[in-house]
């Protein structure tokens, strides 16, 4: 899980806090990745938004956001076997199990992912079946917009498929979490360039009905402390709210600095969750009759 950081400045000192470890996913939302800001407080200008989710944003879909996304706005990405769904391997690694998976669901997950594949498990606290191996599990939190002061970012540009090589290079230098060749297709991605070089970006990932996750927030180390990530978070959130949806994100439960920063911007802790993964059996499971 690539490391994710939140950078905050206190006087002349800048502190980085690790939000993950060396795994395929640092925390599903990964808006924790380098949310640098000069003061840890939101800017004074912007577009005030009403507190709480917008009408139509049923928070219950966030209990299993990958499943809600793949059976909702992201259904066109879904690869399905039985009740198990996943994104294409070059889009994002997330796989969605039903809320209470049974033996057939686990067999379908193994078949869909492939023998020996590491399967991300978002929010799953149960026991994996015999033959599966838990490879990591960390505690996380989910935060939702409850009064962000959002605003467009004049310096930001919309990023698209032609920008993917630069985006992948920035991700490699900053390690905000998995960003794959087609991740940009999941939603709007905004970037900031200096002297023609991409130095910061943020975008959208999981898209349950009425909600959009902010993700892939990262800033070139040479430009931290300028508040670029905070500006991009608020700009991405502005676009989400403009289309009548509510932003949310995830981070590690131990990342107190990140949580304080997001709460200062107007996010509210909604639930505690887990981020984990398990390795499928090396042999192909036979579905249960």
């Amino acid at each position: 899980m690539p490391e994710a950081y939140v950078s905050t400045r206190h006087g002349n000192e800048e502190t980085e806090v690790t939000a993950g470890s060396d795994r395929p996913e640092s925390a599903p939302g990964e808006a924790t990745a380098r949310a640098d800001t000069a003061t840890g407080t939101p800017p004074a200008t912007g577009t005030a938004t009403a507190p709480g989710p917008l009408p139509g944003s049923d928070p219950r879909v966030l209990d299993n956001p990958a499943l809600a996304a793949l059976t909702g706005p992201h259904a066109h990405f879904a690869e399905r076997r039985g009740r198990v769904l996943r994104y294409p391997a070059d889009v994002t690694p997330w796989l969605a199990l039903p809320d209470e998976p049974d033996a057939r669901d686990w067999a379908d997950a193994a078949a869909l992912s492939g023998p020996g594949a590491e399967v991300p498990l978002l929010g799953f606290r149960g026991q994996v079946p015999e033959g599966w191996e838990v490879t990591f599990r960390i505690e996380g939190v989910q935060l939702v917009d409850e009064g962000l002061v959002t605003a467009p970012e004049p310096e930001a540009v919309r990023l698209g498929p032609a920008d993917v090589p630069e985006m992948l290079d920035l991700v490699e230098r900053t390690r905000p979490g998995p960003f794959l060749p087609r991740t940009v297709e999941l939603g709007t991605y905004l970037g900031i360039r200096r002297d023609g070089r991409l130095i910061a970006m943020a975008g959208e990932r999981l898209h349950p009905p009425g909600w959009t996750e902010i993700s892939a927030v990262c800033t070139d180390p040479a430009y931290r402390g300028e508040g670029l990530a905070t500006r991009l978070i608020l700009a991405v959130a502005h676009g989400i709210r403009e289309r009548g949806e509510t932003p949310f994100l995830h981070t590690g439960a131990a990342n107190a600095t990140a949580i304080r920063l997001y709460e200062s911007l107007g996010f509210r802790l909604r639930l505690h969750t887990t981020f984990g993964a398990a390795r499928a059996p090396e042999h192909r499971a036979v579905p249960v009759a």
Side-chain angles (χ1 to χ4, degrees):
M1 192 157 54
E3 289 185 342
Y5 303 90
V6 167
S7 170
T8 58
R9 186 174 294 278
H10 303 279
N12 294 321
E13 297 182 1
E14 185 170 294
T15 302
E16 290 185 344
V17 179
T18 303
S21 59
D22 193 17
R23 287 291 176 185
E25 182 68 33
S26 181
E30 223 35 66
T32 56
R34 311 197 183 279
D36 57 323
T37 177
T39 64
T41 58
T45 60
T47 303
T49 58
L54 294 174
S57 299
D58 182 353
R60 291 174 297 181
V61 301
L62 299 182
D63 294 344
N64 193 339
L67 182 63
L70 286 167
T71 55
H74 279 173
H76 58 288
F77 288 112
E79 298 177 357
R80 177 190 292 266
R81 187 180 176 101
R83 300 194 300 166
V84 180
L85 298 93
R86 62 165 290 170
Y87 286 90
D90 56 353
V91 174
T92 189
W94 289 109
L95 176 144
L97 290 168
D99 292 335
E100 297 182 2
D102 58 24
R104 176 179 286 278
D105 297 324
W106 284 105
D108 287 339
L112 191 60
S113 302
E118 190 173 38
V119 178
L121 300 174
L122 170 57
F124 180 73
R125 294 183 179 273
Q127 297 294 317
V128 300
E130 184 178 355
W132 287 75
E133 175 194 2
V134 174
T135 53
F136 78 93
R137 180 175 290 165
I138 62 173
E139 295 299 310
V141 293
Q142 182 185 87
L143 299 100
V144 299
D145 170 12
E146 197 175 69
L148 292 172
V149 179
T150 69
E153 171 50 51
E155 196 176 0
V157 296
R158 177 77 178 262
L159 302 174
D163 302 298
V164 166
E166 283 186 281
M167 298 168 81
L168 291 172
D169 179 68
L170 180 60
V171 165
E172 179 63 27
R173 288 183 281 120
T174 58
R175 311 287 286 179
F179 186 92
L180 303 173
R182 293 179 57 205
T183 301
V184 70
E185 298 176 23
L186 292 174
T188 299
Y189 280 81
L190 301 178
I192 292 177
R193 286 193 169 89
R194 298 280 172 83
D195 299 321
R197 183 167 177 256
L198 184 66
I199 62 164
M201 73 174 187
E204 303 173 356
R205 187 169 54 183
L206 296 179
H207 191 180
W211 302 81
T212 300
E213 181 191 27
I214 298 177
S215 180
V217 182
C218 51
T219 302
D220 186 299
Y223 294 88
R224 290 187 201 144
E226 298 184 21
L228 301 180
T230 296
R231 287 157 52 189
L232 286 171
I233 289 169
L234 296 176
V236 172
H238 183 78
I240 294 169
R241 281 218 163 237
E242 284 285 291
R243 62 174 185 257
E245 297 177 340
T246 304
F248 74 104
L249 52 81
H250 295 90
T251 188
N255 198 338
T257 301
I259 294 169
R260 285 195 299 270
L261 173 60
Y262 293 130
E263 289 177 337
S264 77
L265 295 177
F267 286 97
R268 173 186 60 81
L269 177 64
R270 176 180 178 268
L271 61 76
H272 289 264
T273 186
T274 61
F275 312 132
R279 191 173 308 283
E282 291 292 343
H283 62 278
R284 186 174 296 277
V286 178
V288 177

mmCIF file of all heavy atoms in Angstrom, residues 68 71 104 107 120 126 183 270:
data_model
loop_
_atom_site.group_PDB
_atom_site.id
_atom_site.type_symbol
_atom_site.label_atom_id
_atom_site.label_comp_id
_atom_site.label_asym_id
_atom_site.label_seq_id
_atom_site.Cartn_x
_atom_site.Cartn_y
_atom_site.Cartn_z
ATOM 1 N N ALA A 68 -22.197 -0.027 -4.155
ATOM 2 C CA ALA A 68 -23.180 0.975 -4.560
ATOM 3 C C ALA A 68 -22.758 1.670 -5.846
ATOM 4 O O ALA A 68 -23.598 1.989 -6.699
ATOM 5 C CB ALA A 68 -23.378 1.995 -3.443
ATOM 6 N N THR A 71 -23.093 -0.861 -8.917
ATOM 7 C CA THR A 71 -24.492 -1.156 -9.268
ATOM 8 C C THR A 71 -25.257 0.126 -9.554
ATOM 9 O O THR A 71 -26.465 0.077 -9.785
ATOM 10 C CB THR A 71 -25.189 -1.920 -8.131
ATOM 11 O OG1 THR A 71 -25.076 -1.179 -6.907
ATOM 12 C CG2 THR A 71 -24.578 -3.297 -7.943
ATOM 13 N N ARG A 104 -20.586 -19.206 -1.843
ATOM 14 C CA ARG A 104 -20.628 -19.015 -3.293
ATOM 15 C C ARG A 104 -20.007 -17.675 -3.693
ATOM 16 O O ARG A 104 -19.294 -17.577 -4.691
ATOM 17 C CB ARG A 104 -22.064 -19.110 -3.806
ATOM 18 C CG ARG A 104 -22.183 -18.815 -5.308
ATOM 19 C CD ARG A 104 -23.605 -18.935 -5.797
ATOM 20 N NE ARG A 104 -24.007 -20.321 -5.894
ATOM 21 C CZ ARG A 104 -23.716 -21.113 -6.922
ATOM 22 N NH1 ARG A 104 -22.996 -20.647 -7.930
ATOM 23 N NH2 ARG A 104 -24.135 -22.352 -6.942
ATOM 24 N N ALA A 107 -16.316 -17.951 -3.647
ATOM 25 C CA ALA A 107 -15.867 -18.709 -4.812
ATOM 26 C C ALA A 107 -15.925 -17.847 -6.069
ATOM 27 O O ALA A 107 -15.018 -17.890 -6.915
ATOM 28 C CB ALA A 107 -16.725 -19.960 -4.980
ATOM 29 N N PRO A 120 -8.723 -6.534 -2.697
ATOM 30 C CA PRO A 120 -8.999 -5.501 -1.697
ATOM 31 C C PRO A 120 -10.358 -5.724 -1.052
ATOM 32 O O PRO A 120 -11.333 -6.072 -1.719
ATOM 33 C CB PRO A 120 -8.991 -4.198 -2.521
ATOM 34 C CG PRO A 120 -8.258 -4.518 -3.769
ATOM 35 C CD PRO A 120 -8.557 -5.959 -4.049
ATOM 36 N N GLY A 126 -15.352 -9.509 8.741
ATOM 37 C CA GLY A 126 -15.597 -10.909 9.031
ATOM 38 C C GLY A 126 -14.371 -11.777 8.817
ATOM 39 O O GLY A 126 -13.257 -11.298 8.587
ATOM 40 N N THR A 183 -7.662 5.017 -14.576
ATOM 41 C CA THR A 183 -8.301 5.597 -13.399
ATOM 42 C C THR A 183 -8.939 6.943 -13.714
ATOM 43 O O THR A 183 -9.985 7.300 -13.149
ATOM 44 C CB THR A 183 -7.282 5.753 -12.259
ATOM 45 O OG1 THR A 183 -6.735 4.463 -11.939
ATOM 46 C CG2 THR A 183 -7.921 6.328 -11.011
ATOM 47 N N ARG A 270 -18.004 10.107 9.614
ATOM 48 C CA ARG A 270 -19.265 9.377 9.506
ATOM 49 C C ARG A 270 -19.179 8.000 10.135
ATOM 50 O O ARG A 270 -20.071 7.592 10.859
ATOM 51 C CB ARG A 270 -19.698 9.245 8.044
ATOM 52 C CG ARG A 270 -20.969 8.412 7.895
ATOM 53 C CD ARG A 270 -21.449 8.254 6.475
ATOM 54 N NE ARG A 270 -22.625 7.396 6.473
ATOM 55 C CZ ARG A 270 -22.579 6.076 6.305
ATOM 56 N NH1 ARG A 270 -21.419 5.470 6.082
ATOM 57 N NH2 ARG A 270 -23.688 5.359 6.333
#
